[in-house]
């Protein structure tokens, strides 16, 4: 069965499982965790092999859906028999086992057993037929299944085969916290978002299906996905690069949110370092987004504008860190015309306000989109209205566009 990581999963089920009392422990707020702090737990998870994490948490996921160890072994026996066969030759038991164990979607197993009698039938079903047959109303769940089916149908056309090896447990509990977006872990887990789903996401998907409303958080996740693409969704390669720069200020592109907190401590900004936690600041957005500079980092750290000497110190350290990485990747530096103060203002609202406090402004004034150099629809309409009444106003210069189309933001 290509593209599904069967060999890895067989090793996982053979290894010894660590027991967790409840998945709720993973999503407990920092103040409620006993023993290790929440960020230390996430950092420890990222240091351990992802297989161990998948084993322990996957065991919880299976037990929540009523799969015993004996049932799990039986599913793997069926999958072993179907190994090497084309999906069109699978019988109903193989389809159910694949859905339960490989895709981690056991909640649809009973409906699948009743309505889908072979792999050939599954391959020929449309999205609406899948929804009706399995009761799969969640859009992201259907997309995950569709991407997995397509990978089985044409494995040679899969652009990122290793994306299918990144299960939703790793994505939600490890990857999201590495980006400093742990507050979205539960939504990622609920939607069963795996590596293949990540590769297909757009900003609109994040807002509509994952409940990620802040534009900066959307940008942060998009750059995190971009980083995964750069390593071909190979988490082992990513882990090795991160291990090499854990104690050296090199290769900031792969730095996690926790690594930037450690860096802030190392440059004598200890009193501000913890403000980076859950901020969405990680190496991908710091290095790849040209508009993210010292002003944005100072805002993320919560350094007051009146502390000019501290900000200057931060600027020197950040430029020394990020400059060589951007030069190696040929990331352009933004023009001063883009407006760094607006960027800092928007980021400040993103870092300081809670998710429930988000409100959409009518004019999108000082939005993150403007801060990153994009003219909003409102700006264009306003410019047209001015020209219609024959007021002689010189046209505003077009700023440099960025890779993400951040048209507006929520503040």
């Amino acid at each position: 069965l290509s593209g599904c990581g069967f060999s890895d999963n067989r090793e996982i089920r053979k290894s010894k499982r660590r027991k967790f009392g409840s998945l709720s422990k993973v999503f407990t707020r920092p103040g409620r965790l006993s023993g290790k702090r929440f960020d230390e737990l996430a950092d420890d998870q990222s240091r351990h092999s992802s297989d161990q994490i998948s084993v322990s948490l996957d065991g919880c996921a299976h037990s929540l859906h009523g799969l015993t160890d004996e049932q799990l072994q039986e599913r793997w026996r069926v999958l072993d028999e179907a190994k090497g066969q084309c999906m069109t030759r699978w019988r109903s038991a193989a389809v159910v086992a694949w859905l339960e164990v490989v895709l981690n979607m056991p909640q649809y197993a009973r409906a699948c057993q009743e309505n889908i009698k072979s792999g050939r039938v599954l391959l020929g079903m449309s999205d609406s037929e899948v929804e009706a047959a399995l009761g799969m109303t969640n859009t992201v769940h259907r997309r995950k299944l569709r991407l997995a089916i397509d990978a089985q149908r044409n494995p040679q056309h899969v652009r990122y085969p290793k994306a299918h090896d990144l299960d939703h447990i790793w994505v939600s509990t490890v990857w999201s916290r590495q980006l400093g977006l742990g507050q979205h872990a539960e939504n990622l887990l609920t939607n069963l978002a795996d590596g293949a789903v990540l590769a297909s996401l757009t900003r609109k998907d994040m807002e509509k299906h994952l409940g990620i409303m802040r534009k900066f958080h959307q940008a942060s996740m998009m750059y995190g996905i971009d980083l995964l693409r750069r390593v071909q969704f190979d988490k082992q390669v990513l882990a090795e690069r991160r291990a090499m720069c854990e104690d050296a200020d090199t290769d900031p592109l792969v730095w996690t949110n926790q690594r930037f907190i450690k860096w802030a401590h190392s440059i004598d900004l200890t009193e501000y370092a913890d403000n980076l936690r859950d901020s969405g600041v990680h190496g991908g957005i710091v290095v790849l987004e040209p508009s993210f500079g010292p002003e944005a980092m100072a805002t993320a750290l919560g350094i007051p504008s009146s502390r000019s000497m501290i900000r200057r110190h931060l600027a020197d350290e950040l430029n020394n860190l990020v400059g060589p990485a951007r030069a190696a990747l040929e990331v352009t530096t933004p023009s001063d015309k883009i407006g760094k103060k607006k960027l800092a203002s928007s980021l400040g609202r993103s870092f300081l306000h809670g998710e429930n406090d988000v409100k959409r402004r009518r004019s999108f004034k000082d939005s993150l989109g403007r801060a990153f150099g994009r003219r909003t629809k409102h700006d264009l309409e306003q410019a047209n209205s001015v020209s219609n009444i024959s007021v002689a106003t010189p046209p505003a210069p077009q700023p440099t566009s960025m890779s993400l189309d951040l048209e507006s933001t929520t503040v």
Side-chain angles (χ1 to χ4, degrees):
L1 300 178
S2 57
C4 294
F6 268 16
S7 59
D8 291 342
N9 284 328
R10 292 189 64 186
E11 292 299 324
I12 288 173
R13 70 185 176 90
K14 290 178 182 179
S15 60
K16 186 178 180 180
R17 292 195 175 109
R18 292 182 299 144
K19 298 299 182 181
F20 280 73
S22 170
L23 280 179
S24 62
K25 291 184 179 180
V26 180
F27 302 114
T28 307
R29 296 181 62 84
R32 299 178 185 173
L33 272 178
S34 59
K36 292 186 177 181
R37 297 180 59 173
F38 188 68
D39 59 304
E40 292 174 342
L41 172 62
D43 192 49
D44 286 346
Q45 287 178 335
S46 64
R47 291 172 185 270
H48 284 78
S49 68
S50 57
D51 287 347
Q52 289 178 327
I53 298 168
S54 296
V55 166
S56 59
L57 293 180
D58 220 12
C60 291
H62 286 306
S63 64
L64 287 175
H65 290 289
L67 273 180
T68 64
D69 289 341
E70 291 75 15
Q71 289 173 327
L72 190 58
Q73 291 175 3
E74 174 62 19
R75 302 299 188 273
W76 278 112
R77 185 193 65 77
V78 172
L79 289 173
D80 286 342
E81 293 177 355
K83 187 176 180 179
Q85 295 181 358
C86 178
M87 197 178 198
T88 56
R89 300 180 62 187
W90 289 5
R91 308 306 299 172
S92 176
V95 175
V96 172
W98 178 71
L99 191 68
E100 284 185 310
V101 179
V102 178
L103 297 188
N104 292 297
M105 305 176 83
Q107 62 268 48
Y108 301 110
R110 178 172 295 182
C112 179
Q113 189 172 17
E114 294 175 353
N115 300 311
I116 301 177
K117 299 303 182 181
S118 69
R120 184 182 297 276
V121 172
L122 181 61
L123 285 172
M125 296 177 70
S126 65
D127 286 348
S128 58
E129 290 172 336
V130 168
E131 180 178 0
L134 300 181
M136 192 176 289
T137 58
N138 185 295
T139 303
V140 182
H141 290 188
R142 291 199 303 272
R143 180 183 298 188
K144 176 178 179 174
L145 179 58
R146 176 58 57 195
L147 291 170
I149 292 173
D150 290 343
Q152 286 291 330
R153 181 185 289 112
N154 298 305
Q156 68 277 11
H157 295 155
V158 178
R159 186 173 182 181
Y160 301 108
K162 289 186 178 294
H164 293 271
D165 297 335
L166 305 182
D167 60 52
H168 69 281
I169 300 292
W170 182 85
V171 168
S172 59
T173 62
V174 179
W175 180 76
S176 66
R177 293 188 173 94
Q178 290 174 345
L179 302 187
L181 297 174
Q183 60 270 53
H184 302 296
E186 191 165 6
N187 281 341
L188 289 168
L189 182 67
T190 301
N191 285 282
L192 307 180
D194 60 4
V197 171
L198 289 183
S200 71
L201 285 180
T202 65
R203 291 186 299 110
K204 189 174 293 185
D205 293 330
M206 294 177 187
E207 184 170 336
K208 183 177 181 181
H209 303 304
L210 300 181
I212 303 175
M213 307 304 294
R214 298 185 196 173
K215 299 301 179 183
F216 182 76
H217 285 188
Q218 294 172 12
S220 175
M221 188 167 289
M222 289 296 288
Y223 278 117
I225 296 171
D226 187 16
L227 176 59
L228 288 176
R229 290 194 182 98
R230 289 171 182 266
V231 297
Q232 299 295 309
F233 284 82
D234 191 331
K235 61 184 177 184
Q236 184 63 32
V237 171
L238 189 59
E240 290 173 358
R241 287 181 60 177
R242 284 172 171 165
M244 292 176 64
C245 61
E246 181 61 31
D247 297 315
D249 292 345
T250 58
D251 201 6
L253 176 62
V254 300
W255 282 18
T256 64
N257 180 257
Q258 293 78 24
R259 181 63 180 88
F260 268 103
I261 293 174
K262 180 179 178 180
W263 171 77
H265 282 288
S266 71
I267 61 172
D268 300 322
L269 294 178
T270 299
E271 61 181 303
Y272 304 106
D274 286 346
N275 291 332
L276 287 180
R277 189 174 293 110
D278 292 335
S279 64
V281 173
H282 60 89
I285 194 167
V286 171
V287 175
L288 298 176
E289 171 47 54
S291 298
F292 196 102
E295 288 294 325
M297 182 62 79
T299 304
L301 286 165
I303 301 175
S305 57
S306 59
R307 306 296 295 273
S308 57
M309 295 303 296
I310 295 180
R311 283 180 169 242
R312 185 181 302 177
H313 165 68
L314 172 64
D316 291 339
E317 295 289 346
L318 185 64
N319 289 333
N320 290 336
L321 174 68
V322 177
R326 285 181 171 174
L329 296 171
E330 298 182 351
V331 177
T332 58
T333 303
S335 169
D336 291 337
K337 294 181 181 179
I338 291 181
K340 296 180 180 178
K341 289 185 178 180
K342 290 184 177 181
L343 173 62
S345 175
S346 178
L347 291 178
R349 290 192 296 271
S350 178
F351 295 136
L352 295 178
H353 291 291
E355 198 72 36
N356 294 330
D357 297 329
V358 176
K359 294 182 181 178
R360 188 176 297 277
R361 290 199 180 186
R362 218 168 141 192
S363 64
F364 301 112
K365 186 177 180 181
D366 292 333
S367 69
L368 189 59
R370 288 179 172 218
F372 282 165
R374 302 292 299 179
R375 297 186 72 191
T376 64
K377 182 178 179 181
H378 177 75
D379 292 333
L380 298 176
E381 291 175 349
Q382 190 176 42
N384 290 335
S385 64
V386 171
S387 61
N388 289 338
I389 60 175
S390 301
V391 176
T393 303
Q398 289 288 343
T400 305
S401 61
M402 61 173 292
S403 58
L404 289 179
D405 185 16
L406 301 181
E407 300 174 343
S408 60
T409 190
T410 52
V411 294

